[in-house]
Amino acid sequence: MFCRIIFVLLLCGAWAACSYEHQPWQPQQFGGELAFQVPPYIEKTTELSDKSPLQFVNFFRNFYMVVDSFPLHSAADSSLTTLAQNEVTDLKTHLFEPAASPLRVVQQQPHPTLRCEVEGTVGTEKKDLQQTIRYYFYFVEGKQHRYRILIWIWADRRNFHEQEIEKLLASVRLQ
């Protein structure tokens, strides 16, 4: 009986430790001018991309995020809209049956901000290993750089993560 009580107490303690509901979000800064907050359950990592200097992950929750910056006046991407269209188009070439929402303006002034969602399947052509992924693109034009925040989750977990993703994207600010 004593072992059962100890087991139940340990199980309750483990469950409580996994609850992030009352933990504060973590403030982040990037590139000297971009600031945002991330949920307490994600950690910084370097495992997602060789190119992205700021990355976050929670493998258990299948939540992934990278943040990149691009020089404001690069020849390849002459505007924030062009950068966004190029990034979305590039992603879609790597997905099976991609579907994208229209690129939409979140705000125009003082810093143009664009958003787009893409959903598609990744895996093998034989369809023996596939997963549908939902991607959230968020583009912000700063004073010196354009920033891309890319979040991706398993599409079947969309309802679980939707409020947190919206809160994260609403926290994005330029300083």
Side-chain angles (χ1 to χ4, degrees):
M1 182 67 175
F2 179 72
C3 290
R4 287 184 184 168
I5 293 172
I6 295 297
F7 175 75
V8 169
L9 289 174
L10 287 173
L11 186 61
C12 290
W15 178 76
C18 292
S19 175
Y20 299 98
E21 187 175 310
H22 301 292
Q23 294 183 16
W25 282 44
Q26 306 163 22
Q28 303 293 323
Q29 289 191 332
F30 179 68
E33 63 178 342
L34 186 70
F36 54 94
Q37 294 184 353
V38 297
Y41 61 82
I42 65 174
E43 300 175 345
K44 284 186 179 179
T45 186
T46 57
E47 299 178 35
L48 301 177
S49 170
D50 294 335
K51 298 177 184 178
S52 296
L54 189 56
Q55 307 170 37
F56 298 92
V57 67
N58 184 304
F59 292 111
F60 178 73
R61 290 187 177 211
N62 300 304
F63 188 102
Y64 311 91
M65 177 178 164
V66 295
V67 182
D68 296 294
S69 65
F70 305 89
L72 189 58
H73 301 293
S74 73
D77 299 314
S78 59
S79 71
L80 186 66
T81 302
T82 303
L83 170 66
Q85 289 170 337
N86 289 345
E87 292 289 315
V88 170
T89 299
D90 182 54
L91 174 64
K92 287 168 60 175
T93 64
H94 299 286
L95 300 174
F96 297 110
E97 301 174 8
S101 68
L103 190 63
R104 61 190 184 275
V105 176
V106 176
Q107 79 178 35
Q108 189 61 40
Q109 296 298 329
H111 305 285
T113 306
L114 303 173
R115 179 176 176 170
C116 180
E117 288 89 34
V118 177
E119 192 167 298
T121 303
V122 296
T124 64
E125 289 186 30
K126 296 179 184 179
K127 298 187 179 184
D128 56 344
L129 176 63
Q130 290 192 333
Q131 182 65 44
T132 302
I133 307 293
R134 179 104 178 156
Y135 299 88
Y136 297 82
F137 281 101
Y138 202 75
F139 299 93
V140 182
E141 187 163 307
K143 295 175 185 171
Q144 299 176 2
H145 290 90
R146 293 185 178 108
Y147 298 95
R148 178 194 68 185
I149 297 174
L150 176 59
I151 300 168
W152 66 98
I153 59 171
W154 287 9
D156 60 359
R157 302 285 289 165
R158 177 181 176 190
N159 292 338
F160 180 77
H161 289 294
E162 194 74 33
Q163 288 182 339
E164 291 171 334
I165 291 171
E166 293 304 321
K167 182 177 176 179
L168 189 155
L169 295 177
S171 77
V172 174
R173 301 283 182 264
L174 285 173
Q175 301 175 333

